Amino acid sequence: MSSENDSDQIDVTVLGGGLAGMGASIHLVRAGLRVLCIEEQAADTTPVGESLDWSAPELLRDLGLPMQKLIDDGFGTWKRHVTLQLADGSTTHYIPGEWLGQPPFNIELRTLHVDRVQLNSAIREIALRDGVRMLHDRVTEVETRGRRVVSVTTASGKRLRSPWFIDASGGSARLLPRAFNLPVSDYGPAKVAIWTYLAVAESVEGTTLHVEGDCPAYMDWVWEIPIHADQLSIGFVAPGETVKALRASGQTVDSILRVQLDRFPRFRDLLHSVPDITTRVASYRCRVHRHIFGSNWLVAGEAAAMVDPMTSNGVTAALRHASEAAALIAKYRHRSRLPWIAAAMYSRRVQDVARFFNCGIEKVIYDGPIRNRIGVRTAGDVYTIPAWSLNNVYARVSPCGVIGSLFFWLLLGTFRAAASLLHALCKFRQTPCEAAG
């Protein structure tokens, strides 16, 4: 590719080659547009988000990866439920209600755990097969004019222009949000995930979340996800300040993970049989940008909104953003700019869903007042019932217009308001023991 491309060579430039970037690129080329996807690395080294919610399989199927194919190709395992496991041995199982599988919803009540390296590779192969052009480079500059993106320049000196742009650069880069200084809301503290992969004789068909049951002021947790029949992904999530303090005390990343897993009987024998483990680390901050659109651009995936991984909604969010953003550009490709209302409703839906999940998980689960007052298992019910229900209804209704978008804004906003009110009430009435954790 020359140092500066002609604008008639590319219809859409997609910034980022993760799930949202690849998903958007595939939908766009299938709609007949010429797509260039700029991705710094050819492969993901530490992808997370291996436990999928119940809306993800349909979105993957639309890309050409139905559930049975993922199972048959060894990319995933069945996820039929989520189990909350307390340190004292008590458990609670969260299973989608059978009513969701009946008319008019007809939701598939099974979902998957996936090997993200294999899944991302399979989606990238589909993109290349369908005609997406890939450029392995890093965007270093975004040229703007008003609310319009004119071009992007890469580290190798290429200046790339196109009529349309989608930013799927991820939560760390956030190229267009930074370029346009988009307002942002943060939810909860910065967190750190430390995880590893262990071989097992057999695994269960579900995700397990391990937590302490002694009323911590702010909850950390351990995940157990069987990405293959004989391999577990096991990780620890805690606020960044907690991990920073442990590191300052002299603990290594490996020892932090071992100590935290040793709290739970499930992992003690398993860890003692493995003298050496290879750990991976990722830090993140759940945040939601506003006004993620301009005259010729949209933001998708974690560059638009980072959803806490406990929700298992990250893959769904990325693929949903990709589908909706691509549909908007494909619909208005012959215009010089996106209609303001259509783009604003896309932005509204992305914000509202991310706020709904992040507010719910922070107010009801992570922070202490509600959880310590009603118990972690009941708090799980308070969060998961509306979260699963509204997410699956969203998948079936597919609100794209003004009325549908505002209807979901009202539903999701009502839950957020109720969670905030309950949180304030429980915080006002909490005992000294609850407040201290």
Side-chain angles (χ1 to χ4, degrees), residues 239-251 256:
E241 288 300 319
T242 299
V243 176
K244 183 179 179 180
L246 293 173
R247 294 284 285 136
S249 70
Q251 293 193 46
I256 290 173

Side-chain angles (χ1 to χ4, degrees), residues 352-368:
D352 287 341
V353 172
R355 287 172 174 168
F356 165 73
F357 281 105
N358 285 331
C359 177
I361 206 75
E362 285 292 335
K363 299 288 188 183
V364 179
I365 302 295
Y366 275 121
D367 207 8

Side-chain angles (χ1 to χ4, degrees), residues 53 187 288 305-307 311 313 316-317 320-321 324 346-360 383 387 390-391 394 399 405 408-409 412-413 416:
D53 75 359
Y187 291 82
V288 181
M306 168 68 189
V307 182
T311 68
N313 197 58
T316 289
R320 185 179 283 161
H321 298 176
E324 294 189 10
Y346 164 81
S347 178
R348 180 84 265 169
R349 292 190 299 273
V350 170
Q351 294 171 61
D352 287 341
V353 172
R355 287 172 174 168
F356 165 73
F357 281 105
N358 285 331
C359 177
Y383 171 73
L390 286 175
N391 197 29
Y394 187 108
S405 298
F408 267 87
W409 167 79
L412 300 176
R416 293 203 316 271

Side-chain angles (χ1 to χ4, degrees), residues 360-429:
I361 206 75
E362 285 292 335
K363 299 288 188 183
V364 179
I365 302 295
Y366 275 121
D367 207 8
I370 294 177
R371 169 175 44 78
N372 293 343
R373 169 65 60 169
I374 65 178
V376 64
R377 284 178 288 185
T378 303
D381 289 327
V382 170
Y383 171 73
T384 57
I385 291 173
W388 284 358
S389 300
L390 286 175
N391 197 29
N392 282 313
V393 171
Y394 187 108
R396 278 292 169 262
V397 175
S398 299
C400 292
V402 175
I403 294 177
S405 298
L406 294 180
F407 171 72
F408 267 87
W409 167 79
L410 180 62
L411 279 179
L412 300 176
T414 299
F415 174 82
R416 293 203 316 271
S420 297
L421 180 61
L422 180 59
H423 181 271
L425 179 62
C426 290
K427 187 173 183 179
F428 176 75
R429 300 187 60 184

Side-chain angles (χ1 to χ4, degrees), residues 139-348:
V139 174
T140 57
E141 182 182 348
V142 178
E143 181 185 355
T144 64
R145 185 178 299 129
R147 290 284 291 180
R148 190 174 189 86
V149 176
V150 177
S151 68
V152 296
T153 302
T154 69
S156 64
K158 295 181 174 66
R159 182 173 180 267
L160 304 167
R161 296 181 293 126
S162 63
W164 305 101
F165 291 83
I166 290 179
D167 181 6
S169 59
S172 297
R174 298 182 290 130
L175 292 169
L176 298 189
R178 293 180 193 272
F180 289 98
N181 195 27
L182 300 183
V184 62
S185 299
D186 291 327
Y187 291 82
K191 298 183 180 71
V192 174
I194 306 172
W195 74 100
T196 190
Y197 298 96
L198 296 178
V200 293
E202 59 179 337
S203 58
V204 298
E205 292 187 332
T207 293
T208 304
L209 305 180
H210 300 263
V211 301
E212 292 279 12
D214 56 355
C215 297
Y218 195 88
M219 192 176 75
D220 56 41
W221 54 285
V222 168
W223 79 66
E224 177 186 350
I225 302 171
I227 60 172
H228 298 288
D230 58 353
Q231 186 181 43
L232 295 179
S233 169
I234 304 173
F236 168 64
V237 178
E241 288 300 319
T242 299
V243 176
K244 183 179 179 180
L246 293 173
R247 294 284 285 136
S249 70
Q251 293 193 46
T252 65
V253 172
D254 288 3
S255 66
I256 290 173
L257 182 59
R258 282 186 176 275
V259 169
Q260 297 303 322
L261 294 182
D262 198 56
R263 296 181 296 167
F264 304 98
R266 160 73 170 145
F267 302 116
R268 287 171 189 159
D269 291 339
L270 188 60
L271 278 174
H272 292 163
S273 66
V274 183
D276 297 312
I277 58 175
T278 300
T279 54
R280 295 161 172 82
V281 182
S283 60
Y284 62 92
R285 183 74 179 266
C286 295
R287 52 169 43 103
V288 181
H289 286 94
R290 287 177 281 161
H291 315 311
I292 53 172
F293 67 96
S295 58
N296 71 330
W297 56 270
L298 297 165
V299 188
E302 290 183 2
M306 168 68 189
V307 182
D308 191 275
M310 185 183 280
T311 68
S312 297
N313 197 58
V315 170
T316 289
L319 297 180
R320 185 179 283 161
H321 298 176
S323 176
E324 294 189 10
L328 267 182
I329 290 177
K331 182 175 182 179
Y332 299 108
R333 71 179 83 179
H334 300 302
R335 300 191 183 187
S336 61
R337 59 187 301 122
L338 291 169
W340 187 88
I341 291 180
M345 289 302 100
Y346 164 81
S347 178
R348 180 84 265 169

Side-chain angles (χ1 to χ4, degrees), residues 38-71:
I38 306 174
E39 171 65 0
E40 183 176 2
Q41 296 180 340
D44 300 284
T45 54
T46 56
V48 291
E50 298 156 327
S51 179
L52 308 187
D53 75 359
W54 276 261
S55 298
E58 189 169 347
L59 295 165
L60 287 170
R61 184 199 64 197
D62 291 343
L63 296 179
L65 293 170
M67 283 198 294
Q68 194 60 53
K69 175 176 174 55
L70 292 172
I71 293 291

